[in-house]
Amino acid sequence: MTNITDGDLLLKNITAQAPFPICFADLEKAVAEKIEAGPFGYIRSGAGGEQTLRNNRAAFEKYSIVPRFLNDVSNVDTSVHLFGKTYPTPLLFAPVGMNGMVHDEGELAVARAAQFLNIPYIQSTVSTFALEEVAQAAPSATKWFQLYWSTNEEIAFSMAARAEEAGFEAIVLTVDTVMLGWREEDVRNQFSPLKLGYARGNYMNDPVFTATLPDDSFESYVQGVLQNVFHPTLNWEHVRELKKRTNLPILLKGILHPEDAKHAIDNGIDGIIVSNHGGRQLDGVIGSLDALPAIVKVVNGQIPIILDSGVYRGMDALKALALGANAVAIGRPFVYGLALEGQQGVEKVMTNLYDELKVSIALAGATSVKGLRNITLVKQDGTEGK
Ligand SMILES: Cc1cc2nc3c(=O)[nH]c(=O)nc-3n(C[C@H](O)[C@H](O)[C@H](O)COP(=O)(O)O)c2cc1C
Ligand SMILES: O=C(O)C(=O)c1ccccc1
């Protein structure tokens, strides 16, 4: 429970110091000026003509809140309960690969920020640092492991086992990236972080993976990763097999169709992440917030639903929670914070998002995340909504 009269959440940002970018547009601008076009374009862009990227934002912009007043909002409970643990905020770090591209400390810095803020950290398969290194850097952070299936499924099982051994508490199987989306900005910039080796962390020290390589040269690692990471054969049989091979809860990330959410439940999956991969995979896809209501309906509270893709401010988080998400995951905003100021930059971005969310819950007339479900939302024209 946070007493939101403790200190003014906005005025603490108005100090004599040089300001840190306060919103997503300012963050993106600052990072564009700081880092090279290749990595910046890789992070910022969406697939194809970027319709999905625009759909994500449009979906949030379409909804408006009809607030309630006179409801004593001096205490706001922002905590959420996920897989047996309580967290102070409904935020998570979405899995983002290859963080070494923007900061030398890469995932270590992000996991340390996650530990400091008590926000669950989802580490990517294609991270610059190995999951064991992240576990050592942030031993008390809640860590989940995002798994990319592998053409050699023994590698996938090996990584899942290593994650369990290292204290990770869930496996997030991403289902929307069986191959890379059509990313034109990377062609323009002639940029591939995979080819530059930024994704080696979890592969370099995997005994099953390294045993398949002809030698231990840099080129062999990179070629090995490229041969393994894309996995178009992925199907529900693999999901059932994974379930047998791990004791950890399994979430599926990238679910957009209510029927797939239903299949997930039928296959004993423990949670889903409604996501279109931040518009980076298939272009012309439904905005993730637009996909949420139908999924909330079929899931009907049976398993937790996390939403990502386009959550760039506290009000976006509020709308997703009001529409029935249990929590939201943040992608690009924290990567920009990392690029600007390492661990501290990540903490600043997440804290601003959280502070805006807290103020917004209260100003909407709610006093808890659950209470947001009772808040009225209307679509742009004021007709539809919830
Ligand atoms: C640079 C970058 C790398 C990403 N790498 C992964 C990844 O390795 N695994 C994964 O499941 N999702 C990955 N994602 C997708 C994120 O987990 C998340 O779905 C997306 O960023 C959410 O959208 P947002 O950036 O609009 O918040 C990546 C996203 C970005 C921007
Ligand atoms: O860039 C991405 O969005 C991503 O998820 C990915 C997937 C496989 C290899 C490299 C990056």
Side-chain angles (χ1 to χ4, degrees), residues 5-66:
T5 51
D6 274 354
D8 192 293
L9 295 172
L10 180 69
L11 295 186
K12 80 176 187 199
N13 282 289
I14 301 176
T15 64
Q17 292 154 20
F20 184 80
I22 187 70
C23 71
F24 185 74
D26 295 356
L27 272 171
E28 196 160 78
K29 188 159 166 275
V31 176
E33 284 163 9
K34 180 165 179 178
I35 69 174
E36 285 174 25
F40 176 71
Y42 184 83
I43 297 160
R44 182 211 64 78
S45 65
E50 302 191 337
Q51 187 196 329
T52 309
L53 198 58
R54 290 189 297 276
N55 284 352
N56 283 340
R57 291 303 310 151
F60 284 101
E61 300 273 334
K62 203 160 52 195
Y63 281 105
S64 305
I65 304 288
V66 188

Coordinates of all heavy atoms in Angstrom, one line a residue, residues 5-66:
T5 N 0.1 10.7 -0.6 CA 0.3 12.0 -0.2 C 1.7 12.2 0.4 O 2.1 13.3 0.8 CB -0.8 12.5 0.8 OG1 -0.8 11.5 1.8 CG2 -2.1 12.6 0.1
D6 N 2.5 11.1 0.5 CA 3.8 11.1 1.1 C 4.7 12.2 0.5 O 5.5 12.8 1.2 CB 4.5 9.8 1.0 CG 4.1 8.9 2.1 OD1 3.4 9.3 3.0 OD2 4.5 7.7 2.0
G7 N 4.7 12.3 -0.8 CA 5.6 13.3 -1.4 C 5.0 13.5 -2.8 O 4.3 12.7 -3.3
D8 N 5.2 14.6 -3.4 CA 4.6 14.9 -4.7 C 5.4 14.1 -5.7 O 6.6 14.4 -6.0 CB 4.5 16.3 -5.0 CG 3.7 16.6 -6.2 OD1 4.1 16.1 -7.3 OD2 2.6 17.1 -6.0
L9 N 4.8 13.2 -6.4 CA 5.4 12.3 -7.4 C 5.9 13.1 -8.6 O 6.9 12.7 -9.3 CB 4.5 11.2 -7.8 CG 4.2 10.2 -6.7 CD1 3.1 9.2 -7.1 CD2 5.4 9.5 -6.2
L10 N 5.2 14.2 -9.0 CA 5.6 14.9 -10.1 C 6.7 15.9 -9.8 O 7.8 16.0 -10.4 CB 4.4 15.7 -10.7 CG 4.8 16.5 -12.0 CD1 5.1 15.6 -13.1 CD2 3.7 17.5 -12.3
L11 N 6.6 16.6 -8.7 CA 7.5 17.7 -8.3 C 8.9 17.1 -8.0 O 9.9 17.9 -8.2 CB 7.0 18.5 -7.2 CG 5.7 19.3 -7.5 CD1 5.4 20.3 -6.4 CD2 5.9 20.1 -8.8
K12 N 9.0 15.8 -7.7 CA 10.3 15.3 -7.4 C 11.2 15.3 -8.7 O 12.4 15.1 -8.6 CB 10.2 13.9 -6.7 CG 10.0 12.8 -7.6 CD 10.0 11.5 -6.8 CE 9.9 10.3 -7.8 NZ 9.5 9.1 -7.2
N13 N 10.5 15.4 -9.8 CA 11.2 15.4 -11.1 C 11.7 16.8 -11.5 O 12.3 17.0 -12.5 CB 10.3 14.9 -12.2 CG 10.3 13.3 -12.2 OD1 11.3 12.7 -12.5 ND2 9.2 12.8 -11.8
I14 N 11.2 17.8 -10.7 CA 11.6 19.2 -11.1 C 12.6 19.7 -10.1 O 12.3 20.0 -8.9 CB 10.3 20.1 -11.1 CG1 9.3 19.5 -12.1 CG2 10.7 21.5 -11.4 CD1 8.0 20.2 -12.2
T15 N 13.9 19.5 -10.5 CA 15.0 19.8 -9.6 C 16.0 20.6 -10.4 O 15.8 20.9 -11.5 CB 15.7 18.5 -9.2 OG1 16.3 17.9 -10.4 CG2 14.8 17.5 -8.5
A16 N 17.1 21.0 -9.7 CA 18.1 21.8 -10.4 C 19.0 21.0 -11.3 O 19.7 21.5 -12.2 CB 19.0 22.5 -9.3
Q17 N 18.9 19.6 -11.2 CA 19.7 18.8 -12.1 C 19.2 18.7 -13.5 O 18.1 19.0 -13.8 CB 19.7 17.3 -11.5 CG 20.4 17.2 -10.2 CD 19.8 16.0 -9.4 OE1 19.3 15.1 -10.0 NE2 20.0 16.1 -8.1
A18 N 20.1 18.3 -14.4 CA 19.7 18.1 -15.8 C 18.6 17.1 -15.9 O 18.7 16.1 -15.2 CB 20.9 17.7 -16.6
P19 N 17.5 17.4 -16.6 CA 16.4 16.5 -16.6 C 16.6 15.2 -17.3 O 17.3 15.2 -18.3 CB 15.3 17.3 -17.2 CG 16.0 18.3 -18.1 CD 17.3 18.6 -17.4
F20 N 16.1 14.1 -16.8 CA 16.1 12.9 -17.5 C 14.8 12.8 -18.4 O 13.8 13.3 -17.9 CB 16.1 11.7 -16.5 CG 16.2 10.4 -17.1 CD1 17.5 9.9 -17.5 CD2 15.1 9.6 -17.3 CE1 17.6 8.6 -18.0 CE2 15.2 8.3 -17.8 CZ 16.5 7.8 -18.2
P21 N 14.9 12.3 -19.6 CA 13.7 12.3 -20.5 C 12.5 11.8 -19.7 O 12.5 10.6 -19.2 CB 14.1 11.4 -21.6 CG 15.6 11.5 -21.7 CD 16.1 11.6 -20.2
I22 N 11.4 12.5 -19.8 CA 10.3 12.2 -18.9 C 9.3 11.3 -19.6 O 8.5 10.6 -19.0 CB 9.6 13.5 -18.4 CG1 8.5 13.2 -17.4 CG2 9.0 14.3 -19.5 CD1 8.9 12.6 -16.0
C23 N 9.3 11.3 -21.0 CA 8.3 10.5 -21.7 C 9.0 9.7 -22.8 O 10.1 9.9 -23.1 CB 7.1 11.3 -22.2 SG 7.6 12.3 -23.6
F24 N 8.2 8.7 -23.4 CA 8.8 7.8 -24.4 C 9.4 8.6 -25.6 O 10.5 8.3 -26.0 CB 7.7 6.9 -24.9 CG 8.2 5.8 -25.8 CD1 9.0 4.8 -25.3 CD2 8.0 5.9 -27.2 CE1 9.5 3.8 -26.2 CE2 8.5 4.9 -28.0 CZ 9.3 3.9 -27.5
A25 N 8.7 9.6 -26.0 CA 9.2 10.4 -27.2 C 10.5 11.1 -26.9 O 11.5 11.1 -27.7 CB 8.1 11.4 -27.7
D26 N 10.6 11.6 -25.7 CA 11.9 12.3 -25.3 C 13.0 11.3 -25.1 O 14.1 11.5 -25.5 CB 11.7 13.0 -23.9 CG 10.7 14.2 -24.0 OD1 10.2 14.4 -25.1 OD2 10.4 14.8 -23.0
L27 N 12.6 10.1 -24.6 CA 13.6 9.0 -24.4 C 14.2 8.6 -25.8 O 15.4 8.5 -26.0 CB 13.0 7.8 -23.8 CG 12.9 7.7 -22.3 CD1 12.1 6.5 -21.9 CD2 14.3 7.5 -21.7
E28 N 13.3 8.4 -26.7 CA 13.6 7.9 -28.0 C 14.6 8.9 -28.7 O 15.6 8.5 -29.3 CB 12.4 7.6 -28.8 CG 12.6 6.7 -30.1 CD 11.4 6.1 -30.6 OE1 10.6 6.8 -31.2 OE2 11.2 4.9 -30.3
K29 N 14.2 10.2 -28.6 CA 15.0 11.2 -29.2 C 16.4 11.3 -28.6 O 17.4 11.4 -29.3 CB 14.3 12.6 -28.9 CG 14.8 13.7 -29.7 CD 13.8 14.9 -29.8 CE 14.4 16.1 -30.3 NZ 15.0 16.9 -29.1
A30 N 16.5 11.2 -27.3 CA 17.8 11.2 -26.6 C 18.7 10.0 -27.1 O 19.9 10.2 -27.3 CB 17.6 11.2 -25.1
V31 N 18.1 8.9 -27.2 CA 18.8 7.7 -27.6 C 19.2 7.8 -29.0 O 20.4 7.4 -29.4 CB 18.0 6.4 -27.3 CG1 18.8 5.2 -27.8 CG2 17.8 6.2 -25.8
A32 N 18.4 8.3 -29.9 CA 18.7 8.5 -31.3 C 20.0 9.4 -31.4 O 20.8 9.1 -32.3 CB 17.5 9.1 -32.0
E33 N 20.1 10.3 -30.5 CA 21.2 11.2 -30.6 C 22.5 10.6 -30.0 O 23.6 11.0 -30.3 CB 20.9 12.5 -29.8 CG 20.0 13.5 -30.6 CD 19.3 14.5 -29.8 OE1 19.7 14.7 -28.6 OE2 18.4 15.2 -30.3
K34 N 22.3 9.6 -29.2 CA 23.4 9.0 -28.4 C 24.1 7.8 -29.1 O 25.3 7.7 -29.1 CB 23.0 8.7 -27.0 CG 24.1 8.1 -26.2 CD 23.9 8.0 -24.8 CE 25.2 7.3 -24.1 NZ 25.1 7.2 -22.7
I35 N 23.3 6.9 -29.7 CA 23.9 5.7 -30.2 C 23.8 5.7 -31.7 O 23.1 6.5 -32.3 CB 23.2 4.4 -29.6 CG1 21.8 4.2 -30.1 CG2 23.2 4.5 -28.0 CD1 21.1 2.9 -29.6
E36 N 24.5 4.7 -32.3 CA 24.6 4.6 -33.7 C 23.3 4.2 -34.4 O 22.4 3.6 -33.8 CB 25.7 3.6 -34.1 CG 27.1 4.2 -33.9 CD 28.1 3.1 -34.2 OE1 27.9 2.2 -34.9 OE2 29.2 3.3 -33.6
A37 N 23.2 4.5 -35.7 CA 21.9 4.3 -36.4 C 21.5 2.8 -36.4 O 20.4 2.5 -36.3 CB 22.0 4.8 -37.8
G38 N 22.5 1.9 -36.5 CA 22.3 0.5 -36.6 C 21.5 0.0 -35.4 O 20.4 -0.5 -35.5
P39 N 22.1 0.0 -34.2 CA 21.4 -0.4 -33.0 C 20.2 0.4 -32.7 O 19.1 -0.2 -32.3 CB 22.5 -0.3 -31.9 CG 23.7 0.3 -32.5 CD 23.6 0.3 -34.0
F40 N 20.2 1.7 -32.9 CA 19.0 2.4 -32.7 C 17.8 2.0 -33.5 O 16.7 1.7 -33.1 CB 19.2 4.0 -32.9 CG 17.9 4.7 -32.7 CD1 17.4 4.9 -31.4 CD2 17.2 5.3 -33.8 CE1 16.2 5.5 -31.2 CE2 16.0 5.9 -33.6 CZ 15.5 6.1 -32.3
G41 N 18.1 1.8 -34.8 CA 17.1 1.4 -35.8 C 16.6 0.0 -35.4 O 15.4 -0.3 -35.5
Y42 N 17.5 -0.9 -35.0 CA 17.1 -2.3 -34.6 C 16.1 -2.2 -33.5 O 15.1 -3.0 -33.5 CB 18.4 -3.0 -34.2 CG 18.0 -4.5 -33.9 CD1 17.9 -5.4 -34.9 CD2 17.8 -4.9 -32.6 CE1 17.6 -6.7 -34.6 CE2 17.4 -6.2 -32.3 CZ 17.3 -7.1 -33.3 OH 17.0 -8.4 -33.1
I43 N 16.4 -1.4 -32.5 CA 15.5 -1.3 -31.3 C 14.2 -0.6 -31.6 O 13.1 -1.1 -31.3 CB 16.2 -0.6 -30.1 CG1 17.4 -1.4 -29.7 CG2 15.3 -0.4 -28.9 CD1 18.5 -0.6 -28.9
R44 N 14.2 0.5 -32.3 CA 13.0 1.3 -32.5 C 12.0 0.7 -33.5 O 10.8 0.8 -33.3 CB 13.4 2.7 -33.0 CG 12.2 3.6 -33.3 CD 12.4 4.6 -34.4 NE 12.5 4.0 -35.7 CZ 11.5 3.5 -36.4 NH1 10.3 3.6 -36.0 NH2 11.7 2.9 -37.6
S45 N 12.6 0.1 -34.5 CA 11.7 -0.2 -35.7 C 10.7 -1.3 -35.4 O 10.9 -2.2 -34.5 CB 12.5 -0.5 -36.9 OG 13.3 -1.6 -36.7
G46 N 9.7 -1.4 -36.4 CA 8.8 -2.5 -36.4 C 9.0 -3.2 -37.7 O 9.8 -2.7 -38.6
A47 N 8.3 -4.3 -37.9 CA 8.5 -5.1 -39.2 C 7.7 -4.3 -40.3 O 6.8 -3.5 -40.1 CB 7.9 -6.5 -39.0
G48 N 8.1 -4.6 -41.5 CA 7.4 -4.2 -42.7 C 7.1 -2.7 -42.8 O 8.1 -1.9 -42.5
G49 N 5.9 -2.3 -43.0 CA 5.6 -0.9 -43.1 C 5.2 -0.3 -41.7 O 4.7 0.8 -41.6
E50 N 5.5 -1.1 -40.7 CA 5.3 -0.6 -39.3 C 3.8 -0.4 -38.9 O 3.5 0.4 -38.0 CB 6.1 0.6 -38.9 CG 7.6 0.3 -39.1 CD 8.6 1.3 -38.5 OE1 8.1 2.5 -38.3 OE2 9.7 0.9 -38.2
Q51 N 2.9 -1.1 -39.6 CA 1.5 -0.9 -39.2 C 1.2 -1.5 -37.8 O 0.5 -0.9 -37.0 CB 0.6 -1.7 -40.2 CG -0.9 -1.4 -40.0 CD -1.8 -2.4 -40.7 OE1 -1.5 -2.9 -41.8 NE2 -3.0 -2.7 -40.1
T52 N 1.8 -2.6 -37.5 CA 1.6 -3.2 -36.2 C 2.1 -2.2 -35.1 O 1.4 -2.0 -34.1 CB 2.3 -4.6 -36.0 OG1 2.0 -5.4 -37.1 CG2 1.9 -5.2 -34.7
L53 N 3.2 -1.6 -35.3 CA 3.8 -0.7 -34.4 C 2.8 0.5 -34.1 O 2.5 0.8 -33.0 CB 5.1 -0.1 -34.9 CG 6.1 0.5 -34.0 CD1 6.5 -0.4 -32.9 CD2 7.4 1.0 -34.8
R54 N 2.2 1.0 -35.2 CA 1.2 2.0 -35.1 C -0.1 1.5 -34.4 O -0.7 2.2 -33.6 CB 0.9 2.7 -36.5 CG 2.1 3.5 -37.0 CD 1.6 4.2 -38.3 NE 1.2 3.4 -39.4 CZ 2.0 2.8 -40.3 NH1 3.3 3.0 -40.2 NH2 1.6 2.0 -41.2
N55 N -0.5 0.3 -34.8 CA -1.7 -0.3 -34.2 C -1.6 -0.3 -32.7 O -2.6 -0.1 -32.0 CB -2.0 -1.7 -34.7 CG -2.5 -1.6 -36.2 OD1 -2.9 -0.6 -36.7 ND2 -2.6 -2.8 -36.8
N56 N -0.4 -0.7 -32.2 CA -0.2 -0.8 -30.7 C -0.5 0.6 -30.1 O -1.2 0.6 -29.1 CB 1.2 -1.2 -30.4 CG 1.5 -2.7 -30.7 OD1 0.5 -3.5 -30.7 ND2 2.7 -3.1 -30.8
R57 N 0.1 1.6 -30.6 CA -0.2 2.9 -30.0 C -1.6 3.4 -30.2 O -2.3 3.9 -29.3 CB 0.8 4.0 -30.6 CG 2.2 3.8 -30.2 CD 2.4 3.8 -28.7 NE 1.8 4.9 -28.0 CZ 1.3 4.9 -26.8 NH1 1.4 3.8 -26.1 NH2 0.8 5.9 -26.3
A58 N -2.1 3.1 -31.4 CA -3.5 3.6 -31.7 C -4.5 2.9 -30.7 O -5.5 3.5 -30.3 CB -3.9 3.2 -33.1
A59 N -4.2 1.6 -30.4 CA -5.2 0.9 -29.5 C -5.2 1.6 -28.2 O -6.3 1.7 -27.6 CB -4.7 -0.5 -29.4
F60 N -4.1 2.0 -27.6 CA -4.1 2.7 -26.3 C -4.8 4.1 -26.5 O -5.6 4.5 -25.6 CB -2.7 2.9 -25.8 CG -2.2 1.6 -25.2 CD1 -1.3 0.9 -25.9 CD2 -2.6 1.2 -24.0 CE1 -0.8 -0.3 -25.4 CE2 -2.1 0.0 -23.4 CZ -1.2 -0.8 -24.2
E61 N -4.5 4.8 -27.6 CA -5.0 6.2 -27.7 C -6.6 6.2 -27.9 O -7.2 7.2 -27.7 CB -4.4 6.8 -29.0 CG -2.9 6.9 -28.9 CD -2.4 8.2 -28.2 OE1 -3.2 9.2 -28.2 OE2 -1.3 8.2 -27.6
K62 N -7.1 5.0 -28.4 CA -8.5 4.9 -28.7 C -9.4 5.0 -27.4 O -10.5 5.4 -27.4 CB -8.7 3.6 -29.4 CG -9.9 3.5 -30.2 CD -9.8 2.4 -31.3 CE -9.4 1.1 -30.7 NZ -8.9 0.1 -31.7
Y63 N -8.8 4.5 -26.3 CA -9.6 4.4 -25.1 C -9.5 5.7 -24.2 O -8.4 6.2 -24.1 CB -9.2 3.2 -24.2 CG -9.7 1.9 -24.7 CD1 -8.9 1.0 -25.4 CD2 -11.0 1.6 -24.5 CE1 -9.3 -0.2 -25.8 CE2 -11.5 0.3 -24.9 CZ -10.7 -0.5 -25.6 OH -11.2 -1.7 -26.0
S64 N -10.6 6.1 -23.6 CA -10.5 7.2 -22.7 C -11.2 6.7 -21.4 O -12.1 5.9 -21.4 CB -11.3 8.4 -23.2 OG -10.8 8.8 -24.4
I65 N -10.8 7.3 -20.3 CA -11.3 6.9 -19.0 C -12.4 7.9 -18.6 O -12.3 9.1 -18.8 CB -10.2 7.1 -17.9 CG1 -8.9 6.2 -18.3 CG2 -10.6 6.8 -16.5 CD1 -9.1 4.8 -18.1
V66 N -13.4 7.4 -17.9 CA -14.4 8.3 -17.3 C -14.2 8.1 -15.8 O -14.7 7.2 -15.2 CB -15.9 7.9 -17.7 CG1 -16.9 8.9 -17.3 CG2 -16.0 7.7 -19.3

